Amino acid sequence: MSTIGTNPTIQGSRVALVTGGSGGIGRAVVERLADDGFALGVHYAGNQAKADETVAAVKAAGGRAIAIGGDVADEGAMSAAFDAVEAEFGGIDVVVNTAGIMLLSPIATLDLADLDRIYRTNIRGTVVISQQAARRVRPGGAIINFSTSVTRTQFPGYGAYVASKAAVESITLILARELRGKDVTVNAVAPGPTATALFLNGKDEATITNLAAAVPLERLGQPTDIAETVAFLAGPARWVNGQVIFTNGGLA
């Protein structure tokens, strides 16, 4: 965090809203964009303390940030969240939607209540955030959604989660084309196995070791690895649009 705000090319000039920005990949994205001089809206769903901690870290390093809460699938709450960021910083240039849930089960025994929870957050939430972003992101900006590399690997147990992320990819690619002429890029990042609490939860050591070994680089990804791809899409990647970027160390 020591380099926050030191990139002279965009220092102090851009604003980003990161959903799920209080932990895991979301926090790494917040810190990376802060390094590039972005002012940040740090969204949280339920853990305000973690969001406040993230905001405090950005501010301590000389950056600008506010915490904003709400359910990403609630259009009223998210409209208010976007309003708060615009009121604080004057507009929004980049929206990064990392918020999501992952509940694993074989399809044959899937609890349909879990299916509804996954779809509400991952699909409806993506639509709600994409609607607000499409209406508000300034020209020259970017909308970045999150998928998963398991849409390619088809790991057993991931059926409902992967179905939701396949929907995210479709929403993303269509929105990119619907925003023709707006000078706003729309892309999705699809991480591979990444060492976050969300990914590691419920997995034994052997499973984690096998997943790391499946990657040609022979390690799990780190949240900072994913954040680098987001920073690329949020900044210099103006000719990358309507794409799903698989950031997974070469996982097939």
Side-chain angles (χ1 to χ4, degrees), residues 5 35 74 79 84 91 116 153-154 168 171 176 182 203 225 229 239 242 252:
D35 284 346
D74 183 330
S79 178
D116 291 342
T153 58
Q154 292 97 39
V168 169
I171 292 163
K182 301 291 187 181
K203 294 181 175 69
D225 294 320
T229 299
W239 198 235

Coordinates of all heavy atoms in Angstrom, one line a residue, residues 5 35 74 79 84 91 116 153-154 168 171 176 182 203 225 229 239 242 252:
G5 N -1.4 6.2 -4.8 CA -1.5 7.6 -5.3 C -0.3 8.1 -6.0 O -0.2 9.3 -6.3
D35 N -3.4 2.3 -5.6 CA -2.0 2.6 -6.1 C -2.0 3.4 -7.4 O -1.0 4.1 -7.6 CB -1.3 1.2 -6.3 CG -0.9 0.5 -5.0 OD1 -0.9 1.2 -3.9 OD2 -0.5 -0.7 -5.0
D74 N -30.3 -5.7 -4.6 CA -31.4 -4.7 -4.2 C -31.1 -3.4 -5.0 O -30.2 -2.7 -4.7 CB -31.3 -4.5 -2.7 CG -32.4 -3.5 -2.3 OD1 -32.8 -2.6 -3.0 OD2 -32.8 -3.6 -1.1
S79 N -28.6 1.8 -6.1 CA -28.7 3.1 -6.6 C -28.2 4.1 -5.5 O -27.5 5.1 -5.9 CB -30.2 3.4 -6.9 OG -30.4 4.7 -7.4
A84 N -23.9 7.7 -3.5 CA -23.0 8.1 -2.4 C -21.6 8.3 -3.0 O -20.9 9.3 -2.6 CB -23.0 7.1 -1.3
G91 N -18.3 11.7 -9.5 CA -18.6 10.8 -10.7 C -18.0 9.4 -10.5 O -17.4 9.2 -9.5
D116 N -31.3 -20.7 -5.4 CA -31.9 -19.3 -5.4 C -31.0 -18.3 -4.8 O -30.9 -17.2 -5.3 CB -33.2 -19.4 -4.6 CG -34.3 -20.2 -5.3 OD1 -34.1 -20.4 -6.5 OD2 -35.3 -20.6 -4.7
T153 N -13.3 -25.6 -16.8 CA -12.7 -26.9 -16.2 C -13.8 -27.8 -15.8 O -13.6 -29.0 -15.6 CB -11.9 -26.6 -15.0 OG1 -12.6 -25.8 -14.0 CG2 -10.6 -25.7 -15.4
Q154 N -15.1 -27.3 -15.6 CA -16.2 -28.1 -15.2 C -15.9 -29.1 -14.0 O -16.3 -30.3 -14.1 CB -16.7 -29.0 -16.4 CG -17.3 -28.1 -17.5 CD -16.3 -27.8 -18.6 OE1 -15.5 -28.7 -19.0 NE2 -16.4 -26.6 -19.2
V168 N -23.2 -14.5 -16.0 CA -22.4 -13.3 -15.9 C -21.6 -13.0 -17.1 O -21.6 -11.9 -17.6 CB -21.5 -13.4 -14.6 CG1 -20.5 -12.2 -14.6 CG2 -22.3 -13.4 -13.3
I171 N -24.1 -11.8 -19.8 CA -24.5 -10.4 -19.5 C -23.4 -9.4 -19.9 O -23.7 -8.4 -20.5 CB -24.9 -10.3 -18.0 CG1 -26.1 -11.1 -17.7 CG2 -25.0 -8.8 -17.6 CD1 -26.3 -11.3 -16.2
A176 N -21.4 -5.1 -23.4 CA -20.4 -4.4 -24.1 C -20.9 -3.9 -25.5 O -20.5 -2.8 -26.0 CB -19.2 -5.4 -24.3
K182 N -20.6 4.7 -26.4 CA -20.5 5.3 -25.1 C -19.0 5.5 -24.6 O -18.8 6.1 -23.6 CB -21.2 4.5 -24.0 CG -22.7 4.3 -24.4 CD -23.5 5.6 -24.2 CE -25.0 5.4 -24.4 NZ -25.7 6.6 -24.3
K203 N -12.3 -26.9 1.9 CA -11.4 -27.8 1.1 C -10.3 -28.3 2.1 O -9.7 -27.5 2.8 CB -10.8 -27.0 0.0 CG -11.8 -26.6 -1.1 CD -11.2 -25.9 -2.2 CE -12.1 -25.6 -3.4 NZ -13.1 -24.6 -3.0
D225 N -2.7 -11.2 -7.9 CA -2.6 -11.6 -9.3 C -3.8 -11.2 -10.1 O -3.7 -10.7 -11.2 CB -2.4 -13.1 -9.4 CG -1.1 -13.7 -8.9 OD1 -0.1 -13.0 -9.1 OD2 -1.1 -14.7 -8.2
T229 N -4.9 -7.9 -13.3 CA -5.7 -7.9 -14.5 C -6.8 -6.8 -14.5 O -7.1 -6.2 -15.5 CB -6.4 -9.3 -14.7 OG1 -5.3 -10.3 -14.8 CG2 -7.3 -9.4 -15.9
W239 N -8.6 -1.0 -25.7 CA -8.9 -1.7 -26.9 C -9.4 -3.2 -26.6 O -9.6 -4.0 -27.5 CB -7.7 -1.7 -27.9 CG -8.1 -2.1 -29.3 CD1 -7.5 -3.1 -30.0 CD2 -9.0 -1.5 -30.1 NE1 -8.0 -3.1 -31.3 CE2 -9.0 -2.1 -31.4 CE3 -9.9 -0.4 -30.0 CZ2 -9.8 -1.8 -32.5 CZ3 -10.8 -0.1 -31.1 CH2 -10.7 -0.8 -32.3
G242 N -15.6 -6.4 -24.4 CA -16.4 -7.6 -24.7 C -15.7 -8.9 -24.6 O -15.9 -9.8 -25.4
A252 N -6.1 -25.3 -17.7 CA -6.8 -25.6 -19.0 C -8.4 -25.6 -18.7 O -8.8 -25.9 -17.6 CB -6.4 -27.0 -19.5

